[in-house]
Amino acid sequence: KIAHCHGSVGDAAGCLAIAKEAYGTVAEIPEDQLTHGQGVEKVFLLHRMCESSRDLHRYEDAVMYARECLKLAPHFARSTPQATMGWTEYHLAKSLLCQGGIEGAKAAMEHGLDQFAQIGDRWSSSYAYDLMGYILMAGRDFDQALEYNQKAMDILLPAYGEENVDVADMIHHRGQIYGAMGQQTEAAKCYEQAMDVYTKRNCFKKRSLVEKDLEKQQDSFDKLLDQQG
């Protein structure tokens, strides 16, 4: 839980160090000798180690932790095996995407979405749809990317409202898709909307990331005008 708190406030290094320390207490126990509680915590810690390694740009480690978690997830579920497998596939997909493995990321997320669908988990599916949109954007399939982003929004927005941070994340991602498509006006609208929510929710690190995207977009636009001039 302490590792998770460090990760939640953006301290990836602290999250990784604490998660590794806790993982060391169960790492050497053979799988068939783990209690259910130990197995569940091992899966949880592998998720945190994957996330924090990814945030530290240690993508090979992140993929390794996700794949290790896939071996345990069907047997040690906090809620259901499908939910645990679905979120593990989510972490694997995100890590593979960071490595540049678009097709592998897409396959992992398709499997994750199937797991969530089996149990009717629309909430988890919304995050998976959002990530799938991001993966499709990386593959330059922009129309499909927008469709998946909208699927995510259609689930989360009615449940949480416009001023929720997770909803703002999805709006930010939509702006990035528009930006990649060259639709600068639509992208800017999304960025401004996301920044407004982050400011209200005191999420200044997230706001700074959007500001960087907005600055990059403006720089690209200025260069285009110079070329045309």
Side-chain angles (χ1 to χ4, degrees), residues 55 57 134 169 172-173 176 191 194-195 198 203-217:
D55 289 343
H57 309 294
Y134 214 75
D169 289 344
H172 177 201
H173 295 161
Q176 290 175 314
Y191 292 152
M195 286 193 295
Y198 292 147
C203 297
F204 299 112
K205 286 187 177 181
K206 285 180 177 285
R207 180 188 167 91
S208 68
L209 292 175
V210 186
E211 287 174 340
K212 288 178 182 178
D213 281 342
L214 194 56
E215 288 171 7
K216 287 178 185 176
Q217 176 183 296

Side-chain angles (χ1 to χ4, degrees), residues 115-182:
Q115 295 291 314
F116 293 142
Q118 288 180 31
I119 54 174
D121 188 346
R122 283 170 51 79
W123 180 81
S124 296
S125 292
S126 69
Y127 294 91
Y129 285 141
D130 183 51
L131 179 56
M132 182 62 90
Y134 214 75
I135 293 167
L136 290 163
M137 178 189 73
R140 304 192 67 77
D141 189 349
F142 300 128
D143 289 341
Q144 280 267 300
L146 285 172
E147 284 183 22
Y148 272 92
N149 178 270
Q150 190 59 52
K151 284 183 178 182
M153 291 285 289
D154 287 345
I155 295 171
L156 219 61
L157 183 58
Y160 288 167
E162 293 183 353
E163 295 189 357
N164 175 266
V165 172
D166 289 344
V167 171
D169 289 344
M170 293 177 181
I171 294 169
H172 177 201
H173 295 161
R174 192 170 189 83
Q176 290 175 314
I177 297 169
Y178 278 129
M181 295 172 72

Side-chain angles (χ1 to χ4, degrees), residues 68-119:
E68 181 65 26
C69 196
L70 281 177
K71 301 174 187 176
L72 297 171
H75 312 294
F76 300 104
R78 190 180 294 272
S79 53
T80 66
Q82 292 91 339
T84 304
M85 283 292 292
W87 278 107
T88 303
E89 294 283 10
Y90 175 95
H91 288 300
L92 176 60
K94 201 167 185 178
S95 301
L96 288 169
L97 179 62
C98 290
Q99 266 192 325
I102 295 173
E103 290 305 315
K106 185 178 178 181
M109 201 63 273
E110 285 174 345
H111 188 222
L113 278 165
D114 181 63
Q115 295 291 314
F116 293 142
Q118 288 180 31
I119 54 174

